[in-house]
Amino acid sequence: MKRLMMLLGLALLLPGAGQAQTDENKLPPTDYGAGYKIVIIHQHQEHTPGPEDDPFGNGPIKLDRTYPLIASPPTPDTQAFNTEMQRRAAQWWAAMDAPKDNSTAADPVTDYSLDCEPVGLPPPADSPSPDDARMLPGVISMACGTYVYPHGAGHGGGEFWGFNWIISAHRDITASDVFAPNASWRAALTAAANAIRPAAPSWGLQKLDFTDPSHWVLERGGLGLSYSYWQFAGYIDGGCGYFALIPWSKLAPYLRKGGIVPQGDWSATAMPEN
């Protein structure tokens, strides 16, 4: 717990940071349904570029990292999640070639952002999103995205994915945690996902592997999908993400009895929207 409180202090008091506090920083530790109280770590810094480095007048270089940690109860299982979450956050940050320690100006003049939002908070997406979603019991799930914006560009770009961690097992979820051990769920999930994609543009939609758990965001209402807007909808929307949810009722015949989705949720039919 002492380590976590130190991290919370870091989120608000990064040296040289600009407007560090956000609405998320003000959220109290909250249980979003998994049985654990979660806090949001938000690290924000601004660096003023030199006059010759800001010909477009874009202003300060912004560096942002947002991700959840478990505040309580403090157990070996929750500490294992917090350790893994910090490791993943560092890995995803490094994958952008962003400044390693989030404390030095980017070079070239570029904004970097990593945003991992737990189920229960709006995902980093420019699309309808659950406003009262709940996590599965014992599973911490989130939608994640990165965004890289070179100053002066028309828009930035990023990657989007899901992260689902079974607390007691100390691991990511697998398809077999959700679906019965046969191959029929794959076709059903693919059909259900394609059915909720927007109308295809003239150049068509990208073929996606919806059976890949790395793009899943599990919640009580259904199986969420986290992709870039371009991947899922076929349009460039400023490099934004797209979140879609398939109600469990559409997949109920293929779900695993005794799996991580409680049978009481199998009849979930609707996606609440903001």
Side-chain angles (χ1 to χ4, degrees):
M1 180 61 71
K2 181 178 179 182
R3 175 180 173 81
L4 180 57
M5 294 308 295
M6 290 174 64
L7 285 167
L8 289 173
L10 176 63
L12 299 178
L13 299 174
L14 276 172
Q19 298 285 329
Q21 296 197 32
T22 68
D23 289 341
E24 286 184 334
N25 286 129
K26 300 172 186 176
L27 291 175
T30 301
D31 181 358
Y32 295 104
Y36 306 92
K37 289 191 174 181
I38 289 174
V39 291
I40 305 300
I41 301 299
H42 180 70
Q43 299 170 314
H44 172 82
Q45 284 195 314
E46 294 183 359
H47 301 274
T48 303
E52 296 180 0
D53 296 325
D54 192 23
F56 300 99
N58 292 114
I61 301 162
K62 299 179 181 67
L63 306 174
D64 288 276
R65 284 194 287 193
T66 303
Y67 56 90
L69 292 177
I70 296 175
S72 65
T75 69
D77 288 347
T78 58
Q79 181 56 50
F81 168 79
N82 287 345
T83 299
E84 182 64 15
M85 185 72 252
Q86 291 171 275
R87 187 188 74 81
R88 298 282 182 107
Q91 174 185 320
W92 295 330
W93 184 260
M96 294 187 288
D97 291 326
K100 183 177 180 181
D101 60 3
N102 201 27
S103 64
T104 58
D107 184 19
V109 183
T110 302
D111 295 342
Y112 293 96
S113 173
L114 166 67
D115 191 5
C116 286
E117 299 289 347
V119 165
L121 295 177
D126 184 17
S127 55
S129 58
D131 57 7
D132 61 354
R134 302 289 289 172
M135 293 183 181
L136 298 179
V139 182
I140 304 296
S141 295
M142 66 196 75
C144 295
T146 55
Y147 188 75
V148 179
Y149 172 65
H151 285 204
H155 58 79
E159 302 290 336
F160 296 86
W161 65 95
F163 179 41
N164 307 272
W165 184 264
I166 302 176
I167 295 295
S168 62
H170 296 198
R171 63 170 175 82
D172 296 87
I173 63 107
T174 65
S176 62
D177 294 315
V178 178
F179 293 102
N182 58 63
S184 58
W185 66 268
R186 296 177 180 274
L189 174 57
T190 299
N194 281 320
I196 59 175
R197 298 179 81 174
S202 59
W203 50 86
L205 291 172
Q206 181 177 342
K207 185 176 180 180
L208 298 172
D209 180 9
F210 296 114
T211 68
D212 178 3
S214 69
H215 285 280
W216 297 356
V217 182
L218 305 183
E219 57 179 75
R220 299 297 295 264
L223 190 154
L225 298 168
S226 179
Y227 286 93
S228 72
Y229 209 97
W230 168 255
Q231 287 176 306
F232 197 84
Y235 293 94
I236 296 176
D237 185 22
C240 295
Y242 196 105
F243 183 88
L245 188 137
I246 302 170
W248 290 124
S249 61
K250 300 288 187 182
L251 303 170
Y254 313 97
L255 296 177
R256 177 180 175 179
K257 292 182 179 180
I260 60 176
V261 182
Q263 283 190 259
D265 293 339
W266 290 16
S267 61
T269 59
M271 171 182 171
E273 297 182 359
N274 291 331

